[in-house]
Amino acid sequence: MVSYLTIKKEVEKGKIAPVYFMYGLQSFLMEDIIQAIIRQQVGSSDDPNVITYNVQETLIDLVIEEAETVPFFGGNKVVIAKDCLFVTSAKQDTKLDHNLKVLEQYLENPVPETVLIICAPYEKLDERKKLTKRLKKQTVVDCSPFDLKMTEQWLEEQVKAKGVSFVGQAKERLVERVGIQLLQLSSEIEKLTLYVGEQGEITEGVVDLLVARSLEQDVFALIEYAVTRRVDRALIIYHDLLKLKEEPLKILALIARQIRIYYQVKEMLKKSFSQGEIASQLKLHPYVVKLASKQIRRFTEGFLLQMLEAIADVDYAIKTGKMDKVLAVELLLMKFSEDG
């Protein structure tokens, strides 16, 4: 199996396979490769030789019939089969009776003028199925969420393709601000490249100027300011979130989640777990673990447990009506500053 980034480069060079099997939860990556194939084969997704089916609504038999049909006015054709649930063990929510042998036979002898794309936007495949095994012998595109290394490599490829570059810690700052959503990262890169212009440089300052922080990033900064005795800055962020109609209890829950991550990461690092192992066990993105690993150096386990206890007390006080929710979170941030 070849990586998404390698497949993308091959497609852009005009090296097109007759059949692609795409699976994984990152639909953005799937669509990115599909559009790259369409550009190479027919030029535009509006071309009549680009045909898309949802196999929850259309028999795979008809999809293959289309793939075997001669393209309009000659040339090439792209046939896309979406939501191919039949490669998983999940029960299909459809009454369609797919003749999967037709697809298996097509895989043995695909039509040269047609690119057939089989899409399975699911986390797990049923590897026991004969069809799944056959599809995995085609050109396979793993559209699972990226690890940290691939995310950073993907970002570099994106800006390079647009003729600009990251400078200093700008790439890291962008991920801190946006998180790990590739679609949103792609949108922000468009904005940043337009701002700096061709051959321009994306700096940390440019990222700070143009890219708004996510709610999670605001909470991250809020905790950072509170525990480093800059409670005034923490309260500014808190009240900005309130102006954006964020609920104090939601903010409190996110603070608790972040502190819990700090505590778990600290405990696992102490037991010599690698950052990759921690990310896997806690089901976190490696970049989240990397950031947490930097922050926890200033905290003791005892302090983190005190913070969690204080959060639980505030949560109880709010839900039992003993404290006003806005004031309760304010006082909690002040307490963090005093204890930090």
Side-chain angles (χ1 to χ4, degrees), residues 60-278:
I60 194 67
D61 319 39
L62 297 176
V63 177
I64 299 306
E65 184 179 323
E66 182 65 59
E68 292 174 334
T69 304
V70 177
F72 283 116
F73 311 115
N76 299 311
K77 177 187 281 190
V78 178
V79 177
I80 306 158
K82 294 194 171 183
D83 289 331
C84 296
L85 193 64
F86 48 68
V87 294
T88 74
S89 57
K91 185 178 180 181
Q92 296 194 59
D93 187 23
T94 176
K95 294 180 180 178
L96 295 178
D97 185 18
H98 296 289
N99 184 357
L100 298 179
K101 286 185 179 179
V102 172
L103 173 55
E104 290 176 13
Q105 290 168 0
Y106 183 86
L107 297 177
E108 296 297 325
N109 188 28
V111 175
E113 294 82 9
T114 298
V115 177
L116 175 63
I117 304 173
I118 303 293
C119 300
Y122 314 109
E123 185 176 8
K124 293 182 180 179
L125 304 175
D126 189 340
E127 304 284 354
R128 300 166 299 176
K129 289 186 175 181
K130 181 181 176 182
L131 177 58
T132 305
K133 292 175 181 176
R134 289 202 175 182
L135 282 167
K136 293 200 82 171
K137 290 180 180 178
Q138 307 301 315
T139 301
V140 180
V141 187
D142 184 353
C143 297
S144 302
F146 283 169
D147 59 19
L148 178 58
K149 183 178 179 181
M150 284 193 71
T151 301
E152 293 185 344
Q153 188 179 347
W154 177 81
L155 283 169
E156 289 289 353
E157 293 287 342
Q158 294 294 302
V159 296
K160 182 180 177 182
K162 297 179 183 302
V164 300
S165 59
F166 286 115
V167 176
Q169 299 295 308
K171 181 171 54 183
E172 288 76 8
R173 182 63 62 85
L174 177 61
V175 177
E176 286 176 13
R177 290 253 163 155
V178 176
I180 55 176
Q181 300 301 318
L182 297 185
L183 180 59
Q184 192 176 349
L185 282 170
S186 179
S187 175
E188 294 297 345
I189 288 171
E190 288 286 344
K191 188 197 308 179
L192 291 165
T193 52
L194 284 172
Y195 182 82
V196 300
E198 193 172 349
Q199 304 302 316
E201 295 181 335
I202 300 172
T203 64
E204 290 178 67
V206 171
V207 173
D208 288 343
L209 178 66
L210 297 181
V211 181
R213 285 193 304 247
S214 65
L215 175 57
E216 287 77 10
Q217 179 60 22
D218 274 328
V219 169
F220 184 88
L222 185 149
I223 295 170
E224 170 76 6
Y225 285 132
V227 299
T228 53
R229 293 187 168 84
R230 289 178 285 178
V231 70
D232 55 329
R233 299 292 300 274
L235 291 174
I236 288 171
I237 293 175
Y238 175 54
H239 283 283
D240 283 344
L241 291 174
L242 295 177
K243 289 175 186 174
L244 293 171
K245 306 299 182 185
E246 294 293 351
E247 257 293 318
L249 276 171
K250 181 180 179 181
I251 296 169
L252 185 66
L254 288 170
I255 293 173
R257 177 181 180 274
Q258 190 64 47
I259 300 301
R260 200 172 296 114
I261 288 171
Y262 285 166
Y263 181 77
Q264 291 171 322
V265 170
K266 192 171 187 69
E267 285 294 296
M268 294 181 77
L269 284 175
K270 195 166 67 172
K271 294 176 182 176
S272 300
F273 283 86
S274 70
Q275 289 187 14
E277 290 170 335
I278 294 171

